[in-house]
Amino acid sequence: MASDKVLLDYGSGGRASQRLISELFVKHFSNPELERLNDAALLTPNGRISVSTDSFTVDPIFFPGGNIGSLAVHGTVNDVAMIGAVPKYMTCAYIIEEGFAMDDLEKIVASMGEAARHAGVAIVTGDTKVVPKGTVDKIFINTTGVGEVIADPVPAGDRARKGDAVLVSGTMGDHGLTILGTREGLSLESNVKSDSASLNHLLVKLVQEIPEIHVLRDPTRGGLATTLNEITHASNVCCELEESAIPVLPEVAGGCSFLGLDPLYLANEGKFICILPEEYAEKALEIMRADSAGSDACRVGTITDANPGKVVLVTPLGGKRLLNMLEGEQLPRIC
Amino acid sequence: MASDKVLLDYGSGGRASQRLISELFVKHFSNPELERLNDAALLTPNGRISVSTDSFTVDPIFFPGGNIGSLAVHGTVNDVAMIGAVPKYMTCAYIIEEGFAMDDLEKIVASMGEAARHAGVAIVTGDTKVVPKGTVDKIFINTTGVGEVIADPVPAGDRARKGDAVLVSGTMGDHGLTILGTREGLSLESNVKSDSASLNHLLVKLVQEIPEIHVLRDPTRGGLATTLNEITHASNVCCELEESAIPVLPEVAGGCSFLGLDPLYLANEGKFICILPEEYAEKALEIMRADSAGSDACRVGTITDANPGKVVLVTPLGGKRLLNMLEGEQLPRIC
């Protein structure tokens, strides 16, 4: 590379841009379609497709458990898979601040390549914009994923039904606490790190073995509580959660207590909620626990028709309180 | 709306976010898939698909001829169509600075809805991130488009061949000059405005009537000169351009002269290059001129094998000079 910093020149469409594209991205994302470097990628998916987009503005960009790049791949892979699809392709658009360190860019790009390979997706086209210092904070990334849908009907937020079991694939709040803790300069315990991971292999297995699944969703921004509220609102049902059943790492609970946070409202980037008819709950838990992405899977609640659109937390003493959607919490740049 | 400014709260995944999504986006982008508000959209394209992504960081965000929103729709519609596809779906991801005026956001969103309807595409899913003041300059937008490919083989940058005619669909430099001129505070003549427009209807017609077309590409960042260099490099051919044949509005030429710019290196957002076998050139020009998006279409050059990978400008006096790729020009945030 001519420089150890990303220059404005890299994004204006000129020769230096060409070098950036050729050397870095093709090197880490190598696949035949990307190498054609056309304006658009030509793809041949089979049948129905799932498409999802997300922008990643996380701060800090490097954190225990990952970085903005790996997060961007895992996040979109997961969203594509949540409607019962096999993620196949991804686009990747960078907005980079002038002066950003090339070494850091290479680390991020390399992480993305690795995450994509692990998830089995090809990064087929992309875009790079370099903007003047101060107009973006370091780097933002957008990923848009395309997958082949295998479920029919597809799991969806409006399909939760009275009597369904509510499962989660593992511990809550890890990613959110890691980000906020790192920003606050806390020394985190070594096992407190972002749970950012691609869940597609497990999700595809689940959907293939239990086509009766009603809802799959990852509780990202706003956490478990907010995501369940979205679902109960869309499905017009109630969710009763057993507080003592919700898995939270002791160290995460401790960190949350210290920072005045509630793990039920913190983002998760490697976990999902599964809502399905009661009779399939045990089978689903078995499949989830057999996979490293779901080893701490457990049942946390039940869908009822008691308070449509609401989420009710049942405390260990049997008391009930409403778990509302997140409101007025200033938690930016978590993912 | 509760506030006339976009608040951090809007992006954290809580109740206010829900309102932003429901009220503004669904209102302007109304279609059944978007209204399901799932993590991913379920689509059923026919056969091969074209996928393209772009981030838009243009400054200023409102300019003569459009705004960052309409630009984001037109730009991605065009890239999808350039490989001979009918654009059908689009995703849209916003990164918005805390404090951004809701009125401006609504204008941008409304423009996008209108541009999408005009182009015949549905905005099926999206994302909104609100970031703290100072971490992004006002608003950035990513659009990713999906289209159904109708050409076979598809036009591509590596398909230009010796003897091909090189056509452009209209005047060069309008968008780039408009942006840079507006930034410099120039009063532009009333007909100097961004040419930002969706070209898909014309491109689809061309590809259907002349399947022998080799290359279609829009000369955006870096302008006509840079884009032709990309093509000659990919195809390992030479492009000889007749300087006097390249259409440039007198007012754009004048503005460029004043600002020390070369219209051949300025971005175009509503024009395309068409490279095809000589014998189809007249027919292509006829089709282009019959459409408002191509009324000033003309032939500007020929593909030869004289200087592979190069673009040669033939002056009115018959002299020749190399037209190199843009290098070292600091022209950020044009699109």
Side-chain angles (χ1 to χ4, degrees):
Chain A
M1 283 283 162
S3 164
D4 63 346
K5 299 232 176 282
V6 176
L7 307 177
L8 266 181
D9 189 17
Y10 284 120
S12 352
R15 202 189 300 275
S17 276
Q18 299 306 311
R19 279 197 299 258
L20 183 72
I21 295 167
S22 308
E23 292 178 29
L24 203 60
F25 301 147
V26 170
K27 168 181 165 190
H28 290 288
F29 301 157
S30 175
N31 64 73
E33 191 50 39
L34 181 66
E35 283 153 31
R36 292 197 82 188
L37 294 175
N38 277 317
D39 282 344
L42 172 66
L43 309 172
T44 46
N46 195 11
R48 296 166 301 152
I49 63 172
S50 161
V51 179
S52 181
T53 193
D54 252 317
S55 297
F56 295 84
T57 62
V58 67
D59 169 45
I61 55 176
F62 294 96
F63 45 84
N67 60 58
I68 189 173
S70 54
L71 185 66
V73 171
H74 296 318
T76 288
V77 160
N78 292 344
D79 279 345
V80 165
M82 294 292 158
I83 67 162
V86 178
K88 298 293 292 280
Y89 313 109
M90 185 171 286
T91 69
C92 178
Y94 298 88
I95 301 174
I96 311 173
E97 188 179 21
E98 179 189 8
F100 189 79
M102 281 299 304
D103 280 352
D104 284 347
L105 181 62
E106 175 128 35
K107 279 184 195 135
I108 288 166
V109 172
S111 292
M112 295 186 79
E114 192 185 325
R117 275 187 299 278
H118 184 258
V121 302
I123 297 177
V124 291
T125 190
D127 181 59
T128 306
K129 293 294 192 293
V130 179
V131 291
K133 206 157 183 58
T135 52
V136 75
D137 180 31
K138 299 189 281 292
I139 185 170
F140 291 162
I141 301 177
N142 173 282
T143 44
T144 301
V146 178
E148 293 176 348
V149 177
I150 57 170
D152 193 4
V154 300
D158 55 8
R159 292 188 59 210
R161 297 289 176 262
K162 176 182 172 182
D164 281 354
V166 181
L167 319 176
V168 294
S169 63
T171 56
M172 297 280 100
D174 302 27
H175 176 81
L177 178 68
T178 299
I179 297 302
L180 292 167
T182 308
R183 284 216 292 248
E184 295 295 321
L186 287 190
S187 298
L188 301 168
E189 306 270 354
S190 62
N191 68 330
V192 174
K193 55 189 199 295
S194 169
D195 59 348
S196 173
S198 284
L199 304 167
N200 53 314
H201 299 305
L202 173 53
L203 288 166
V204 165
K205 190 168 205 289
L206 265 177
V207 160
Q208 282 171 330
E209 307 234 353
I210 310 174
E212 296 81 0
I213 284 174
H214 286 161
V215 187
L216 291 169
R217 190 166 291 187
D218 51 347
T220 54
R221 287 186 292 167
L224 179 69
T226 301
T227 307
L228 283 173
N229 268 283
E230 288 172 2
I231 294 167
T232 56
H233 180 79
S235 299
N236 199 32
V237 295
C238 176
C239 174
E240 280 199 15
L241 283 180
E242 296 293 328
E243 185 170 26
S244 55
I246 302 171
V248 180
L249 287 175
E251 296 85 350
V252 169
C256 284
S257 191
F258 185 75
L259 291 174
L261 302 165
D262 183 341
L264 300 188
Y265 287 92
L266 293 183
N268 304 275
E269 292 288 335
K271 305 287 174 0
F272 62 96
I273 299 161
C274 176
I275 300 176
L276 76 177
E278 171 83 48
E279 59 264 40
Y280 301 103
E282 273 315 305
K283 183 176 180 185
L285 287 170
E286 208 176 289
I287 294 167
M288 287 157 84
R289 288 171 182 152
D291 191 299
S292 57
S295 46
D296 296 321
C298 57
R299 178 172 182 166
V300 295
T302 310
I303 300 296
T304 74
D305 57 3
N307 273 294
K310 300 294 179 193
V311 178
V312 174
L313 193 68
V314 181
T315 68
L317 295 174
K320 295 186 180 190
R321 65 176 179 93
L322 276 184
L323 208 59
N324 286 322
M325 189 167 275
L326 185 64
E327 174 120 49
E329 294 285 335
Q330 305 252 329
L331 295 173
R333 304 186 69 189
I334 299 296
C335 57
Chain B
M1 284 284 161
S3 163
D4 63 345
K5 299 232 175 283
V6 176
L7 307 176
L8 267 183
D9 189 17
Y10 283 118
S12 352
R15 202 191 300 276
S17 276
Q18 300 305 311
R19 279 197 298 258
L20 183 72
I21 296 167
S22 308
E23 290 179 28
L24 203 59
F25 301 146
V26 170
K27 168 182 167 191
H28 290 287
F29 301 157
S30 175
N31 63 73
E33 190 51 36
L34 182 67
E35 283 152 32
R36 293 197 82 188
L37 294 174
N38 278 316
D39 282 346
L42 172 67
L43 309 172
T44 46
N46 196 11
R48 296 166 301 152
I49 63 172
S50 162
V51 178
S52 181
T53 192
D54 251 317
S55 297
F56 295 85
T57 62
V58 68
D59 170 44
I61 56 176
F62 293 97
F63 45 84
N67 60 58
I68 189 173
S70 53
L71 184 68
V73 171
H74 296 318
T76 289
V77 159
N78 293 344
D79 279 346
V80 166
M82 294 289 159
I83 68 161
V86 178
K88 297 293 292 280
Y89 314 109
M90 184 171 287
T91 70
C92 177
Y94 298 87
I95 301 174
I96 310 172
E97 187 179 23
E98 179 187 8
F100 189 78
M102 282 299 304
D103 280 351
D104 284 347
L105 181 62
E106 175 128 34
K107 279 183 196 138
I108 288 167
V109 171
S111 293
M112 295 185 79
E114 190 185 326
R117 274 187 298 278
H118 184 256
V121 302
I123 298 177
V124 291
T125 190
D127 180 58
T128 307
K129 293 292 192 296
V130 180
V131 293
K133 206 157 183 56
T135 54
V136 76
D137 180 29
K138 298 190 280 294
I139 184 170
F140 292 162
I141 301 178
N142 173 282
T143 44
T144 301
V146 177
E148 292 176 350
V149 177
I150 57 170
D152 195 3
V154 300
D158 56 7
R159 292 188 59 210
R161 297 290 175 263
K162 176 182 172 183
D164 281 354
V166 181
L167 318 177
V168 294
S169 63
T171 56
M172 297 280 100
D174 301 28
H175 176 82
L177 178 68
T178 298
I179 296 302
L180 292 167
T182 308
R183 284 216 292 249
E184 295 294 323
L186 286 191
S187 299
L188 300 168
E189 307 269 354
S190 61
N191 68 330
V192 174
K193 57 189 196 295
S194 169
D195 59 349
S196 174
S198 283
L199 304 167
N200 54 315
H201 300 304
L202 172 54
L203 288 166
V204 164
K205 190 170 206 292
L206 265 177
V207 159
Q208 283 170 329
E209 307 234 352
I210 310 174
E212 297 81 359
I213 285 173
H214 286 160
V215 187
L216 292 168
R217 190 165 290 186
D218 51 348
T220 54
R221 286 187 293 167
L224 178 69
T226 301
T227 307
L228 284 173
N229 269 280
E230 289 171 3
I231 294 168
T232 57
H233 180 78
S235 298
N236 200 33
V237 295
C238 176
C239 174
E240 281 200 15
L241 283 180
E242 296 293 327
E243 186 171 25
S244 56
I246 301 170
V248 179
L249 287 175
E251 298 84 349
V252 168
C256 284
S257 190
F258 185 75
L259 291 172
L261 302 165
D262 184 339
L264 300 188
Y265 287 92
L266 294 182
N268 305 275
E269 293 287 335
K271 304 287 176 356
F272 62 95
I273 299 162
C274 175
I275 300 176
L276 76 177
E278 171 83 49
E279 58 264 39
Y280 301 103
E282 273 314 306
K283 183 176 180 185
L285 287 171
E286 210 176 289
I287 294 169
M288 287 156 82
R289 288 170 182 155
D291 191 297
S292 57
S295 45
D296 295 323
C298 58
R299 178 171 183 166
V300 295
T302 310
I303 299 295
T304 74
D305 57 2
N307 273 292
K310 301 292 180 193
V311 177
V312 174
L313 192 69
V314 181
T315 68
L317 295 174
K320 294 189 181 188
R321 63 175 179 95
L322 276 184
L323 209 60
N324 287 322
M325 190 168 273
L326 187 63
E327 173 122 49
E329 294 286 336
Q330 305 253 328
L331 295 173
R333 303 187 68 191
I334 300 296
C335 56

